[in-house]
mmCIF file of all heavy atoms in Angstrom:
data_model
loop_
_atom_site.group_PDB
_atom_site.id
_atom_site.type_symbol
_atom_site.label_atom_id
_atom_site.label_comp_id
_atom_site.label_asym_id
_atom_site.label_seq_id
_atom_site.Cartn_x
_atom_site.Cartn_y
_atom_site.Cartn_z
ATOM 1 N N HIS B 430 87.336 166.469 92.759
ATOM 2 C CA HIS B 430 88.003 167.432 91.884
ATOM 3 C C HIS B 430 87.163 168.686 91.711
ATOM 4 O O HIS B 430 87.660 169.798 91.807
ATOM 5 C CB HIS B 430 88.273 166.810 90.509
ATOM 6 C CG HIS B 430 89.504 165.981 90.466
ATOM 7 N ND1 HIS B 430 90.666 166.413 89.887
ATOM 8 C CD2 HIS B 430 89.769 164.759 90.963
ATOM 9 C CE1 HIS B 430 91.589 165.475 90.019
ATOM 10 N NE2 HIS B 430 91.067 164.453 90.652
ATOM 11 N N PHE B 431 85.886 168.470 91.446
ATOM 12 C CA PHE B 431 85.038 169.622 91.158
ATOM 13 C C PHE B 431 84.913 170.527 92.364
ATOM 14 O O PHE B 431 85.039 171.749 92.240
ATOM 15 C CB PHE B 431 83.653 169.158 90.693
ATOM 16 C CG PHE B 431 82.825 170.266 90.114
ATOM 17 C CD1 PHE B 431 83.003 170.663 88.800
ATOM 18 C CD2 PHE B 431 81.891 170.935 90.890
ATOM 19 C CE1 PHE B 431 82.266 171.697 88.257
ATOM 20 C CE2 PHE B 431 81.140 171.981 90.363
ATOM 21 C CZ PHE B 431 81.325 172.356 89.045
ATOM 22 N N SER B 432 84.730 169.947 93.537
ATOM 23 C CA SER B 432 84.543 170.803 94.704
ATOM 24 C C SER B 432 85.854 171.449 95.131
ATOM 25 O O SER B 432 85.855 172.511 95.744
ATOM 26 C CB SER B 432 83.888 170.044 95.854
ATOM 27 O OG SER B 432 84.727 169.021 96.308
ATOM 28 N N ALA B 433 86.978 170.832 94.757
ATOM 29 C CA ALA B 433 88.268 171.478 95.020
ATOM 30 C C ALA B 433 88.497 172.656 94.071
ATOM 31 O O ALA B 433 89.025 173.691 94.475
ATOM 32 C CB ALA B 433 89.402 170.466 94.887
ATOM 33 N N HIS B 434 88.058 172.492 92.805
ATOM 34 C CA HIS B 434 88.283 173.554 91.831
ATOM 35 C C HIS B 434 87.267 174.691 91.932
ATOM 36 O O HIS B 434 87.593 175.839 91.638
ATOM 37 C CB HIS B 434 88.232 172.988 90.404
ATOM 38 C CG HIS B 434 89.518 172.395 89.945
ATOM 39 N ND1 HIS B 434 89.986 171.190 90.411
ATOM 40 C CD2 HIS B 434 90.468 172.860 89.105
ATOM 41 C CE1 HIS B 434 91.151 170.934 89.852
ATOM 42 N NE2 HIS B 434 91.468 171.937 89.055
ATOM 43 N N PHE B 435 86.041 174.367 92.288
ATOM 44 C CA PHE B 435 84.990 175.389 92.294
ATOM 45 C C PHE B 435 84.227 175.386 93.604
ATOM 46 O O PHE B 435 83.006 175.173 93.619
ATOM 47 C CB PHE B 435 84.020 175.157 91.133
ATOM 48 C CG PHE B 435 84.696 174.996 89.806
ATOM 49 C CD1 PHE B 435 84.865 173.726 89.242
ATOM 50 C CD2 PHE B 435 85.188 176.100 89.121
ATOM 51 C CE1 PHE B 435 85.499 173.571 88.017
ATOM 52 C CE2 PHE B 435 85.816 175.950 87.892
ATOM 53 C CZ PHE B 435 85.981 174.681 87.337
ATOM 54 N N PRO B 436 84.925 175.625 94.718
ATOM 55 C CA PRO B 436 84.276 175.542 96.032
ATOM 56 C C PRO B 436 83.094 176.510 96.155
ATOM 57 O O PRO B 436 82.058 176.141 96.701
ATOM 58 C CB PRO B 436 85.397 175.903 97.006
ATOM 59 C CG PRO B 436 86.426 176.618 96.184
ATOM 60 C CD PRO B 436 86.321 176.047 94.812
ATOM 61 N N GLY B 437 83.247 177.715 95.610
ATOM 62 C CA GLY B 437 82.176 178.701 95.697
ATOM 63 C C GLY B 437 80.934 178.241 94.965
ATOM 64 O O GLY B 437 79.820 178.357 95.470
ATOM 65 N N PHE B 438 81.136 177.662 93.795
ATOM 66 C CA PHE B 438 80.002 177.245 92.984
ATOM 67 C C PHE B 438 79.250 176.088 93.641
ATOM 68 O O PHE B 438 78.014 176.045 93.610
ATOM 69 C CB PHE B 438 80.477 176.855 91.583
ATOM 70 C CG PHE B 438 79.359 176.601 90.632
ATOM 71 C CD1 PHE B 438 78.571 177.654 90.181
ATOM 72 C CD2 PHE B 438 79.073 175.322 90.194
ATOM 73 C CE1 PHE B 438 77.520 177.428 89.306
ATOM 74 C CE2 PHE B 438 78.023 175.098 89.323
ATOM 75 C CZ PHE B 438 77.257 176.148 88.878
ATOM 76 N N VAL B 439 79.986 175.179 94.246
ATOM 77 C CA VAL B 439 79.364 174.040 94.925
ATOM 78 C C VAL B 439 78.439 174.520 96.045
ATOM 79 O O VAL B 439 77.356 173.959 96.262
ATOM 80 C CB VAL B 439 80.455 173.095 95.486
ATOM 81 C CG1 VAL B 439 79.858 172.057 96.408
ATOM 82 C CG2 VAL B 439 81.197 172.412 94.341
ATOM 83 N N GLN B 440 78.831 175.578 96.712
ATOM 84 C CA GLN B 440 78.001 176.152 97.777
ATOM 85 C C GLN B 440 76.753 176.824 97.202
ATOM 86 O O GLN B 440 75.714 176.875 97.837
ATOM 87 C CB GLN B 440 78.788 177.243 98.530
ATOM 88 C CG GLN B 440 80.163 176.818 98.990
ATOM 89 C CD GLN B 440 80.184 176.336 100.422
ATOM 90 O OE1 GLN B 440 79.149 176.307 101.075
ATOM 91 N NE2 GLN B 440 81.344 175.918 100.903
ATOM 92 N N ARG B 441 76.929 177.372 95.999
ATOM 93 C CA ARG B 441 75.924 178.273 95.442
ATOM 94 C C ARG B 441 74.685 177.543 94.926
ATOM 95 O O ARG B 441 73.593 178.099 94.941
ATOM 96 C CB ARG B 441 76.600 179.042 94.295
ATOM 97 C CG ARG B 441 75.754 180.071 93.614
ATOM 98 C CD ARG B 441 76.647 180.914 92.714
ATOM 99 N NE ARG B 441 75.910 181.695 91.746
ATOM 100 C CZ ARG B 441 76.483 182.472 90.834
ATOM 101 N NH1 ARG B 441 77.811 182.556 90.786
ATOM 102 N NH2 ARG B 441 75.764 183.157 89.973
#
Side-chain angles (χ1 to χ4, degrees):
Chain B
H430 277 256
F431 192 82
S432 65
H434 276 73
F435 309 102
F438 188 70
V439 169
Q440 310 264 1
R441 182 169 164 182

